[in-house]
Amino acid sequence: MAGPASRRHAIVIGAGLAGSSAAERLAARGWTIELIDHADGPGQGASGNLAGVLRPLPSLDDNRLARLTRAGFEHARRHFDALTAAAQPLRWGQTGVLHLARDETHATTQQRVVAARHPANDELRFVERDQARELAAWPVATGGWWFPGGGWVDPASLCRANLAHHAAAIRPHYRCQVARIDRQAGLWRACNAAGEVIAEAPVLILANATAARNFPVAAHLPLRAARGQVSHLPGEAGSAPQIVVCRLGYVTPAIDGVRCAGATFGIDDGEPAPRESDHLENLAKLDFILPGYASKLRALDLAGRVGFRPLSPDRLPMIGAVADAAAIDANAPSRPLAEMPRLPGLYVINGFGARGIVWSALAGELLACLITEAPLPLTDDLVHAVDPGRFLLRGRNKRVRDRASPPVGG
Ligand SMILES: Cc1cc2nc3c(=O)[nH]c(=O)nc-3n(C[C@H](O)[C@H](O)[C@H](O)COP(=O)(O)OP(=O)(O)OC[C@H]3O[C@@H](n4cnc5c(N)ncnc54)[C@H](O)[C@@H]3O)c2cc1C
């Protein structure tokens, strides 16, 4: 069991992008963290792909998802710079991301977004097909958005770098499965299946993806798993493309001789092993991105990896204090989010869906600010938009339709 409880002491369950980001941000503020994961190291769940994509995704109406993703993108780059400056083992390549238009209509929308948003040239611009071909060094079919500051990220290396940044303050408990959590005498306890206490602390953070729902106090969180399979393609160093290219999917540059192409998106599909049919789907996407690239590849020969994205119904993450669902009287007049009863010391950072690489650094910072009551890094409307209590607001479930359509890219 961990050492004596102090006020600035937290348990984090889950050592993926969510848990490692929260741990890093609290440890930076002088907190001691008990980090628990049933895997034998960080970044082995959804956060264990070889590489994923870092880029914002603007929208014409600059909606909440677009604003959160832009803020996350900017925050992530600053965080990556800080980790790199501190010689932490983050692996990422700021190669730029070319997000090709799906068709002519989409190209027009992309151009309208750029015209409406007036982004700085080094943030985003629209490139015509010829320039897209030059950037990709491939005869791509259309023009599209060019994000010069985007790139690929090895997410497990980001988890490791987060933890190494404050190694002295973060106590890892790997190969430990939390079967039960409870609160006694002001302390949360994480226990294994034998009932033994793995750690106890006044604050507990659920960063264990969809498994958070297994704990009765968090069973009301509407988390679902979206299975995603990435295909690993052989790729010689220096071969084209040397940037990330997206078009209803993505392909990365060759990293250590492997290009990642993907990804599939299947709700509530629990198959953990890669499937040939999913490789075929990824090869079809690859051909849409880079015409002809897939012609010499056979699905049968490909390796790959499967991960399960923790997804929320409105596609926004869940960051903040867990509501006390049992204390909400269904017959009482509706109360605003700020007045929703919360479970003392219990927080969640979850529901990153297909955007964990882009959101995690900002999410960790927001959670640390909420816990320590520091000024928040986001505007109130975005803080409310990601509040995990939002799902218990009366009438909301009727309003939010469960959109199960695949996201663009990851
Ligand atoms: C195929 C695929 C492609 C993607 N591409 C991109 C992309 O291009 N760009 C992007 O931004 N994002 C991408 N993502 C999304 C991103 O990877 C996820 O949003 C992110 O990894 C989720 O992180 P997490 O920490 O919430 O979950 P996880 O990484 O799954 O971490 C949860 C951890 O909790 C642990 N755990 C669970 N239950 C328990 C328990 N009871 N006790 C102890 N430990 C427990 C697990 O072992 C696991 O390590 C992609 C995801 C997938 C699957």
Side-chain angles (χ1 to χ4, degrees), residues 13-20 36-39 41-49 51-55 155 159 173 176-179 198 207-212 214-215 226-230 250 262-264 305-310 349-360 409-410:
I13 307 177
L17 286 172
S20 69
I36 309 175
D37 201 298
H38 66 69
Q44 297 195 21
S47 312
N49 284 340
V53 187
L54 177 80
R55 50 112 159 62
C159 299
H173 303 258
C176 290
Q177 172 98 26
V178 180
I198 304 166
N208 55 330
T210 52
N214 297 339
F215 304 128
R227 180 185 181 278
Q229 180 171 320
V230 175
Y250 64 89
T264 60
R305 186 177 188 280
V306 171
F308 295 90
R309 311 167 183 91
I349 176 165
N350 211 318
F352 287 172
R355 301 191 185 198
I357 292 171
V358 190
W359 283 341
S360 63

Side-chain angles (χ1 to χ4, degrees), residues 43 155 160 220 233 260 307 335 384 407:
R160 290 192 295 272
H220 64 276
L233 320 174
C260 294
R335 286 154 68 184
H384 293 155

Side-chain angles (χ1 to χ4, degrees), residues 103-190:
D103 50 34
E104 281 308 313
T105 312
H106 188 217
T108 306
T109 306
Q110 286 186 327
Q111 282 169 302
R112 287 178 61 206
V113 169
V114 174
R117 286 241 323 100
H118 305 296
N121 241 3
D122 61 351
E123 178 194 338
L124 164 65
R125 51 184 200 270
F126 182 84
V127 294
E128 299 290 349
R129 189 179 68 171
D130 284 350
Q131 202 183 346
R133 288 181 165 190
E134 253 175 61
L135 287 164
W138 200 270
V140 296
T142 64
W145 280 327
W146 171 235
F147 301 103
W152 61 268
V153 179
D154 167 348
S157 83
L158 175 53
C159 299
R160 290 192 295 272
N162 280 334
L163 303 179
H165 203 198
H166 299 285
I170 301 173
R171 286 195 281 252
H173 303 258
Y174 296 130
R175 298 180 207 85
C176 290
Q177 172 98 26
V178 180
R180 187 169 59 83
I181 58 172
D182 61 20
R183 188 165 181 267
Q184 285 190 12
L187 293 182
W188 283 97
R189 305 188 312 171

Side-chain angles (χ1 to χ4, degrees), residues 209-280:
T210 52
R213 289 194 73 170
N214 297 339
F215 304 128
V217 285
H220 64 276
L221 295 173
L223 285 159
R224 293 171 83 181
R227 180 185 181 278
Q229 180 171 320
V230 175
S231 302
H232 296 165
L233 320 174
E236 275 174 38
S239 60
Q242 296 189 53
I243 59 172
V244 178
V245 192
C246 308
R247 196 182 185 209
L248 291 181
Y250 64 89
V251 57
T252 69
I255 303 154
D256 298 337
V258 177
R259 249 180 233 290
C260 294
T264 60
F265 191 93
I267 301 273
D268 296 337
D269 170 354
E271 173 56 56
R275 282 192 293 240
E276 193 187 331
S277 56
D278 286 41
H279 284 316
L280 275 171

Side-chain angles (χ1 to χ4, degrees), residues 273-297:
R275 282 192 293 240
E276 193 187 331
S277 56
D278 286 41
H279 284 316
L280 275 171
E281 188 181 325
N282 284 339
L283 288 180
K285 279 185 186 151
L286 179 63
D287 211 53
F288 188 56
I289 304 169
L290 303 174
Y293 193 102
S295 62
K296 293 199 181 85
L297 296 168

